């Protein structure tokens, strides 16, 4: 779908008396090396350099080059090559000389040196693409390979025995005999046997030349030569000089040969009696397709008598060379397009094809000049038959760009018209209406001559139409295409103008090259070039010539970038050759003479990769995309258009999660974009078209429509492109809620509004699903207080309520939407929807059935039936039941039974049937059936509700409370049961309930209020004391012994067990029992000191053992994480390079980092079975045990240290009380020992906090970015995941300070 557009053309005339014979590129300086001579009249050979934008040839060297072969009139340059790295020119002459010209010779080197000679003469020569090997064929039928130092490395003789190298078996690529001819074909032929076999007959006009062509990678070379004066063959040799293949015989094959740099095809020319065509060969010598060059008999006998070929460096363009012109062909979808016809300046044809040199590194850059007997000059195009002036011989330097010619892409005129040039045919397709795959097109327009350039614009007045300007070799034609009938009617020609001259001297018009065309409003702009100047001509809407601008700067590199009309001026952006802005005004003349309202010009450097158009001297800036989309209106001042690289964000290649990305075929290229329908047309590498709707483009259009409050188009775009409709609300929440009525008015259709309401969900899709497609710097259009004021309200309910409010006055037309709004709430408000339908029966009974059917479609009909019953509307329930699959034999008797009941009994029965027991209980209470209430309360456990209903009826309240107390006692809720019994005054039952709840104070208090007999009270107290001792509540147990059992000794002994020595001493002194000091207090102190010392010693030994082990584990993990998790299955041994280490589902020796610690080999699918609950329980047991050497050991040890610190914090106060007690009984040494042991353990705990509980223990495993997104795995791997997550989140515990007694010193 791309055309070749001329973006640069430089011209330079040869020096007087010199004939241009060869040229070569200097890729370092982007200049051209030109060779002049020798000729039969002058043996002088001169090299000159033509620099970029230069106006003269700079001399390099000159010398006489007489021909050593008597059969040649003069020597001829077969190959001219420039080595940019050494500033050296290498020439290969037909006479056999190999000449090196050094631009900067070193000491002892000659500037011009003949480095070698072939006595037999040379027929062809070519350097390899890497410039390391020179291939030469001699007139003695030999092939020579020479290095860059001109050392002969290979010498191969070309003989007729080479024909035996290939035994061809053709499979008939593209031949009719290989096509299916139907079941009724009488003769089934072998498709590998063609109907006619070529014998390789030579063309009568064969020039007898030899051609050499290298493959792009330099590994093979092809030689096209005549064998035994009978047939032409193409030999393929390897870089080592080994014959690889020989081509099959082809009648009329001539000497042209060019190997496509991509390497898949060799192109040659086949001349037949009535046609000339390009034929292709594979490397093995077999034919592989062809195409016709479209020449008639007259053209074959004149300028098409000699033909040659050259591929561009990127393999995209095939240049076919004729005697006075070249044709540039491209291929798409297996069709070859003639894209450009480039002429020399001379009307006379030459005897040999023109010379073209493609740039070795830059695609579509080439030089062009003539060669042959007649003087070669660059003239205009072939449409000037009466011109007799002939210019001096010249060379031209051309640059083309591969661009798509489309109509404007700014809505609403983005019809996606694409124009494809194919010789003198223009193929037109409006992609918005018809996606016709190339090489076909919706319409084809035939032009009188081959096309140069095409431009398309859209005009709306007086009627919408497309204007197509076609610049061709005979003139300029303009076509009109009605937008209303584009499919049915082809474009109609409005006018055709031959090229004109505004100069008095008509001869100067002969040397003008017309290169480009463009539109500025309805005015056509034509850009042309000559030796002295460049010209911009303006053509009116009626085809009349308006005026022109003459630019004295001739080397304008580029094209008419853009043009637009604003107010009283027309702005034109041209590309220039790098001149400064101060020179721009001096370039233009005749601006004031333009008959248009006014013209402002801009010249900017051309770049196909970036956009940097500059308009002189201006102050404001706009993004260039605004100009491209037609939304930028230039002000009276001039404008600078720029596109900063920082403004372009390239998203990561994650199409599965990023809406901006989309997977397409590799090599696809953009054709056109149609924003109005959110469409993008791509051309695949093989040429077929695909129309896609990129999410970024669709969402941009939807957001734009939302901003314009065009909710209808936004809704339809969401519906057609499957975009979440929540974006209609989420993109501009406040705006949407304020314009719900406008939304309803625009969308109108009830079904569409229902679709929107049914798609609502709580997620904010603008902030989550589609956040990547938001342009940088774009903020929400909501007010700041919206979320704070309504943050607690469900988004879905908020929208549904807004719709219900807007639909209050439209129930006659949008009642279905009202029902949908109720049902779509979260949770669905089915009762409100059914109530709305029930209220409709009295107003419009005709809509009831439709409404019932609709609500049954939206919600579960069984649930709707229950809700209808819950409204106590039996008629409504019947309507719903009729829409369900229920059996009438089931629900009709039930409804009849309900119909015969009283109102309260019916409501009770319905609520009981629906499981609404609280409401049913309330209806029973209203009925006054207290016995039924008690039974119903006990059956369904509705005690709190029953108590609430009878809170003002004391007698019934106490009965319900007794039932509730018995229920609590039976269910094990002893505390609540005791309180209930105490409320009822049943202290005996309350005391027993409190005893079972281990509430000794409440139990004993209730027992004394009963009152219980003394023996029973004594037994109860003893039982409670024993229970408290078992639970280690020594203080409470001692209090019972003291207050209720009057056992002073046991109470004091119990206080000592809990380290409450001060309380023990208090009661001994209070009751005058000094005899208990030694037997109870001292004994308790000694026993407490022994147990505490043992505990502290155990803690100290545990810390001394576990902390070094933790340190050791962490060092190992930091040094080699995989080895720590047992991942080094080879024990550190070297692994061969040819052994794959990648894990698969069938791997039995590895897995993920989470599974390698187990050392289990298992069977195929082990990773899958680890996800089972059995493995999870096994891993949990391993984690709990913390076995030494397992991956869980570190976690177990850290948790163990944490538990130890918690234990030390618990005994802190006990140790303080113990130390004070020991000092009080004059046991100073023992008190000091306990205090020192405690202080030492506390210091150890504080010292290990930073090391044991540091936060970076998982540096190897932890990755913060993944941590936020990863999900917990299942099974055994999930247990290890919990372990690692626990390490990341664990916080260091607090160690309480231990206050030492100052009496013991420090």
């Amino acid at each position: 779908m791309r055309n070749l557009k001329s973006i640069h053309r430089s011209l330079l005339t040869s020096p007087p008396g010199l004939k241009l014979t060869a040229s070569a590129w200097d890729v370092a300086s982007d200049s051209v090396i030109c060779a002049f001579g020798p000729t039969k009249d002058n043996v002088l050979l001169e090299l000159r350099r033509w620099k970029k934008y230069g106006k003269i040839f700079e001399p390099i060297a000159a010398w006489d080059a007489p021909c050593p072969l008597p059969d040649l009139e003069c020597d001829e340059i077969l190959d001219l090559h420039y080595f940019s790295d050494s500033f050296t020119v290498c020439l290969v002459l037909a006479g056999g000389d190999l000449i090196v010209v050094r631009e900067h010779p070193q000491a002892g080197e000659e500037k011009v040196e003949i480095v070698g000679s072939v006595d037999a003469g040379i027929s062809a020569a070519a350097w390899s693409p890497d410039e390391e090997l020179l291939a030469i064929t001699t007139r003695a039928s030999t092939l020579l390979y020479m290095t860059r130092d001109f050392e002969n490395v290979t010498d191969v003789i070309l003989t007729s025995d080479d024909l035996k190298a290939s035994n061809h078996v053709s499979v008939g690529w593209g031949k009719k005999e290989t096509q299916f001819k139907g079941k009724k074909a009488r003769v089934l032929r072998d498709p590998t046997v063609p109907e006619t076999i070529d014998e390789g007959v030579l063309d009568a006009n064969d020039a007898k030349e030899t051609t050499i062509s290298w493959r792009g990678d330099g590994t093979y070379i092809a030689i096209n030569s005549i064998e035994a004066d009978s047939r032409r063959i193409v030999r393929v040799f390897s870089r080592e000089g080994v014959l690889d293949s020989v081509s099959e015989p082809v009648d009329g094959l001539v000497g042209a040969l060019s190997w496509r740099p991509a390497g898949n095809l060799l192109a040659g020319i086949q001349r037949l009696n009535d046609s000339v065509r390009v034929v292709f060969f594979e490397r093995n010598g077999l034919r592989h397709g062809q195409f016709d060059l479209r020449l008639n008999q007259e053209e074959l006998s004149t300028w098409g008598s000699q033909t040659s070929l050259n591929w561009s460096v990127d393999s995209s363009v095939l240049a076919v060379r004729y005697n006075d012109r070249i044709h540039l062909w491209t291929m798409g979808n297996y069709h070859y397009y003639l894209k450009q016809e480039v002429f020399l300046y001379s009307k006379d044809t030459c005897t040999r094809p023109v010379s073209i040199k493609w740039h070795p590194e830059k695609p579509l850059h080439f030089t062009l000049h003539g060669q042959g007997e007649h003087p070669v000059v660059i003239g205009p195009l072939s449409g000037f038959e009466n011109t007799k002036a002939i210019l001096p011989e010249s060379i031209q330097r051309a640059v083309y760009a591969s661009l798509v010619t489309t109509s404007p892409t700014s809505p609403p005129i983005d019809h996606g018209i694409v124009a494809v040039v194919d010789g003198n045919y223009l193929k037109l397709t409006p992609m918005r209406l018809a996606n016709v795959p190339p090489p076909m097109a919706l319409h084809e327009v035939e032009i009188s001559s081959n096309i140069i350039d095409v431009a398309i614009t859209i005009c709306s007045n007086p009627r919408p139409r497309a204007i197509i300007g076609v610049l061709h070799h005979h003139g300029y034609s303009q076509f009109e295409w009605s937008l209303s009938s584009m499919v049915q009617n082809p474009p109609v020609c409005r006018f055709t103008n031959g090229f004109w001259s505004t100069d008095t001297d008509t001869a100067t018009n002969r040397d003008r090259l017309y290169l480009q065309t463009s539109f500025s409003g309805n005015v056509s702009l034509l850009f042309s070039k000559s030796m002295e100047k460049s010209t911009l001509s303006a053509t009116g809407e009626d085809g009349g010539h308006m005026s022109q601008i003459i630019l004295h700067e001739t080397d304008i590199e580029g094209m008419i970038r853009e043009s637009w009309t604003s107010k009283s001026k027309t702005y034109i952006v041209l590309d220039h050759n790098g001149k400064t802005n101060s020179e721009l005004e001096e370039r233009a003349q005749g601006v004031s003479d333009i008959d248009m309202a006014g013209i402002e010009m801009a010249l900017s450097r051309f770049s196909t990769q970036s956009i940097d158009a500059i308009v002189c001297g201006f102050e404001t800036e706009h993004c260039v995309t605004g100009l491209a989309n037609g939304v930028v209106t230039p002000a009276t001042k001039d404008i600078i258009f720029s596109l900063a690289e920082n403004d372009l964000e390239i998203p990561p290649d994650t199409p599965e999660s990023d809406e901006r990305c989309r997977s397409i075929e590799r090599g696809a290229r953009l054709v056109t974009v149609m924003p109005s329908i959110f469409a993008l047309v791509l051309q695949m590498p093989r040429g077929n078209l695909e129309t896609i709707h990129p999410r970024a483009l669709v969402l941009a259009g939807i957001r734009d429509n939302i901003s314009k409050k065009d909710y209808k188009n936004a809704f339809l775009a969401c519906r057609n492109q499957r975009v979440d409709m929540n974006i209609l609300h989420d993109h501009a929440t406040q705006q949407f809620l304020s314009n719900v009525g406008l939304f309803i008015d625009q969308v109108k259709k009830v079904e569409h509004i229902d679709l929107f309401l049914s798609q609502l969900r709580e997620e904010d899709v603008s902030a989550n699903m589609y956040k990547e497609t938001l342009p940088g710097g774009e903020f929400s259009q909501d007010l700041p207080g919206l979320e704070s004021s309504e943050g607690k309200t469900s988004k879905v309910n908020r929208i549904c309520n807004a719709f219900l409010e807007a639909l209050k006055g439209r129930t006659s037309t949008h009642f279905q939407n009202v029902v949908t709004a109720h049902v779509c709430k979260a949770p669905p408000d089915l009762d409100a929807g059914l109530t709305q339908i029930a209220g409709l029966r009295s107003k419009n009974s005709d809509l009831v059935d439709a409404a019932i059917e609709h609500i049954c479609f939206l919600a579960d009909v069984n649930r709707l039936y229950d809700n209808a019953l819950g409204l106590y509307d039996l008629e409504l329930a019947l309507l719903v039941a009729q829409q369900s699959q229920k059996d009438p034999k089931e629900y009709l008797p039930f409804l009849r039974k309900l119909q015969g009941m009283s109102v309260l009994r019916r409501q009770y029965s319905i609520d009981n049937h629906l499981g609404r027991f609280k409401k049913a209980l309330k209806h029973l209470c209203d009925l006054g059936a207290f016995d039924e209430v008690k039974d119903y309360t006990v059956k369904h456990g509705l005690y709190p509700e029953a108590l609430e209903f009878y809170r003002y009826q004391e007698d019934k309240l106490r009965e319900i409370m007794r039932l509730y107390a018995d229920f609590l006692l039976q269910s094990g809720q002893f505390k609540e049961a005791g309180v209930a019994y105490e409320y009822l005054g049943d202290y005996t039952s309350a005391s027993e309930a409190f005893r079972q709840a281990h509430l000794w104070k409440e139990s004993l208090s209730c027992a004394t209020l009963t009152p219980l007999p003394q023996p029973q009270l004594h037994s109860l107290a003893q039982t409670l004391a024993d229970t408290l001792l078992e639970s280690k509540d020594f203080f409470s147990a001692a209090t019972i012994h003291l207050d209720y059992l009057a056992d002073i000794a046991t109470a004091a002994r119990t206080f000592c067990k809990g380290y409450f020595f001060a309380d023990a001493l208090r009661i001994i002194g209070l009751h005058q029992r000094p005899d208990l000091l030694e037997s109870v207090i001292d004994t308790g102190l000694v026993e407490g000191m022994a147990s505490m010392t043992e505990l502290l010693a155990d803690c100290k030994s545990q810390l001394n053992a576990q902390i070094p082990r933790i340190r050791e584990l962490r060092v190992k993990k930091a040094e080699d994480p995989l080895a720590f998790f047992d991942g080094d299955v080879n024990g550190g041994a070297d692994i061969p390079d040819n052994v794959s280490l990648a894990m698969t589902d069938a791997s039995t020796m590895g897995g993920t980092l989470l599974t390698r610690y187990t050392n289990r080999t298992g069977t195929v699918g082990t990773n899958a079975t680890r996800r089972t609950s059995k493995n999870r329980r096994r891993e949990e047991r391993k984690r709990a045990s913390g076995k030494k050497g397992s991956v869980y050991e570190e976690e177990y040890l850290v948790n163990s240290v944490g538990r130890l610190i918690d234990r030390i914090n618990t005994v802190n106060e006990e140790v303080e009380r113990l130390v004070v007690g020991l000092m009080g009984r004059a046991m100073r040494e023992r008190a000091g020992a306990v205090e020192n042991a405690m202080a030492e353990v506390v210091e150890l705990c504080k010292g290990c906090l930073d090391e044991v509980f540091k936060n970076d223990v998982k540096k190897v495993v932890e990755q913060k970015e993944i941590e936020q997104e990863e999900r917990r795995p299942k099974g055994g791997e999930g247990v290890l995941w919990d372990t690692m997550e626990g390490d990341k989140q664990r916080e260091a515990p607090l160690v309480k300070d231990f206050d030492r007694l100052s009496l013991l010193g420090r």
Side-chain angles (χ1 to χ4, degrees), residues 724-984:
D724 196 314
M725 291 187 183
N726 286 271
I727 195 175
L728 298 175
H729 166 271
D730 297 342
H731 179 64
T733 300
Q734 185 192 16
Q735 173 185 304
F736 181 84
L737 295 176
S738 303
N739 293 276
V740 171
L742 178 63
F743 178 90
I744 296 172
D745 292 336
Q746 290 182 357
V747 176
K748 293 183 180 179
K749 287 189 177 182
V750 174
E751 296 80 6
H752 288 175
I753 298 175
D754 281 349
L755 177 61
F756 169 75
L757 291 173
S758 64
Q759 296 292 317
L760 293 176
R761 52 196 177 96
E762 297 295 339
E763 180 186 1
D764 186 350
V765 297
S766 288
N768 299 323
M769 182 183 297
Y770 301 130
K771 62 181 179 180
E772 293 86 359
T773 59
L774 280 171
E778 183 172 322
F779 298 97
S780 174
Q781 302 177 21
D782 300 337
L783 287 179
L786 182 65
E787 278 299 318
S788 59
S789 62
E790 302 185 5
K792 297 181 180 179
T793 306
S794 166
K795 163 193 155 184
V796 176
N797 293 347
R798 190 163 61 246
I799 298 174
C800 291
N801 290 334
F803 271 85
L804 291 172
E805 184 68 24
L807 292 171
K808 280 185 178 179
R810 312 186 189 193
T811 54
S812 59
T813 56
H814 290 81
F815 183 79
Q816 180 175 314
N817 299 139
V818 175
V819 175
T820 304
H822 284 298
V823 176
C824 289
K825 287 185 178 181
D829 192 356
L830 300 180
D831 289 347
L834 291 170
T835 303
Q836 290 279 352
I837 297 175
L840 192 65
R841 285 178 297 184
S842 60
K843 299 177 182 179
N844 191 346
S845 58
D846 296 336
L847 294 177
V848 174
D849 292 338
I852 288 291
E853 184 178 354
H854 178 64
I855 197 172
C856 291
F857 169 75
L858 294 176
D860 181 19
V861 68
N862 295 317
R863 186 178 173 187
L864 284 170
Y865 175 74
D866 293 341
N867 281 78
L869 279 177
L871 296 174
Y872 314 117
D873 191 334
L874 299 182
E875 182 180 352
L876 184 64
L878 178 61
L879 291 174
V880 174
Q882 289 173 347
Q883 295 293 329
S884 68
Q885 300 295 324
K886 292 179 178 292
D887 188 354
K889 295 180 181 179
E890 295 179 2
Y891 63 80
L892 286 178
F894 176 69
L895 294 177
R896 290 195 189 99
K897 181 180 178 182
L898 292 175
Q899 187 69 29
M901 297 178 181
S902 63
V903 175
L904 289 177
R905 179 61 65 176
R906 182 193 307 142
Q907 292 175 350
Y908 160 74
S909 301
I910 289 174
D911 289 332
N912 183 59
H913 171 74
L914 297 177
R916 300 190 297 191
F917 303 120
K918 295 179 182 179
K919 286 188 175 182
L921 181 65
K922 180 65 172 64
H923 295 314
L924 280 178
C925 294
D926 294 341
L927 283 170
F930 186 65
D931 293 337
E932 288 187 54
V933 169
K934 290 193 293 183
D935 295 340
Y936 200 79
T937 300
V938 173
K939 180 179 180 180
H940 297 291
L942 301 175
Y943 302 101
E945 290 78 9
L947 291 173
E948 180 66 21
F949 294 151
Y950 291 104
R951 61 184 180 277
Y952 300 121
Q953 303 179 36
E954 186 63 26
D955 53 342
K956 295 181 180 179
L957 178 66
R958 294 183 68 85
E959 289 189 42
I960 298 297
M961 184 67 75
R962 170 67 65 177
L963 295 174
Y964 194 13
D966 295 340
F967 169 76
L968 292 173
L969 187 65
Q970 293 173 4
S971 61
Q973 303 179 53
F974 302 112
K975 179 181 177 180
E976 289 80 358
V979 174
Y981 284 124
E982 192 175 8
Y983 174 85
L984 296 172

Side-chain angles (χ1 to χ4, degrees), residues 31 176 251 333 420 521 612 661 672 695 705 716 830 885 975 1002 1004 1024 1098 1111 1183 1249:
S31 58
K176 64 179 181 180
D251 290 342
N333 219 6
V420 180
D612 52 2
C661 299
T672 188
R695 264 297 190 261
N705 288 331
L716 293 176
L830 300 180
Q885 300 295 324
K975 179 181 177 180
E1002 291 82 354
L1004 290 173
L1024 290 171
D1098 291 341
R1111 188 182 302 120
R1183 181 184 182 188
L1249 286 179

Side-chain angles (χ1 to χ4, degrees), residues 124-126 137 209-215 220-225 232-237 247 253-261 265-270 277-283 285 307-311 318-321 353:
T137 57
E209 76 271 23
T210 299
T211 309
I212 296 177
S213 182
W214 285 88
R215 198 168 77 169
Y220 289 94
I221 187 173
I223 302 172
N224 185 348
S225 62
R232 272 197 175 273
I233 62 172
V234 178
R235 295 177 173 90
V236 177
F237 288 90
S247 65
L253 185 67
V254 296
L257 179 68
S258 182
W259 201 326
R260 194 165 185 253
L265 295 175
L266 292 92
I269 294 291
Q270 182 184 23
R277 58 190 180 189
V278 176
V279 294
F280 297 108
F281 298 90
E282 299 176 18
R283 199 195 79 191
T307 315
S308 190
L309 300 170
N310 285 93
W311 282 102
L318 176 63
V320 181
R321 300 186 283 137

Side-chain angles (χ1 to χ4, degrees), residues 144-163:
L144 306 178
Y145 283 172
M146 290 187 178
T147 65
R148 191 162 171 175
D149 297 328
F150 301 100
E151 296 179 0
N152 190 10
V153 294
T154 302
D155 190 346
V156 180
I157 300 176
L158 308 179
T159 66
S160 57
D161 293 338
D162 296 340
L163 298 176

Side-chain angles (χ1 to χ4, degrees), residues 520-523 563-571 596-597 633-634:
S520 177
N522 295 335
V523 177
S563 59
W564 69 94
T565 301
S566 174
K567 295 183 179 179
S568 61
K569 291 185 179 181
T570 295
Y571 293 80
M596 292 181 286
T633 303

Side-chain angles (χ1 to χ4, degrees), residues 487-507:
V487 177
Q488 297 84 2
N489 301 321
V492 178
C493 182
R494 300 177 64 189
F495 62 85
T496 297
N497 289 338
F499 292 125
W500 57 83
S501 172
T502 59
D503 301 327
T504 56
D505 184 8
T506 58

Side-chain angles (χ1 to χ4, degrees), residues 1204-1214 1216 1238-1239 1241-1246 1249 1293-1300:
L1204 184 145
I1205 292 175
D1206 293 338
R1207 176 63 175 152
I1208 294 299
N1209 290 335
T1210 303
V1211 303
N1212 190 299
E1213 295 180 359
E1214 296 179 358
E1216 290 180 358
M1238 181 65 181
V1241 172
V1242 170
E1243 289 301 321
L1244 282 175
C1245 291
K1246 289 183 177 180
L1249 286 179
L1294 178 66
V1295 180
K1296 290 184 178 180
D1297 293 331
F1298 176 67
D1299 296 332
R1300 305 187 66 165

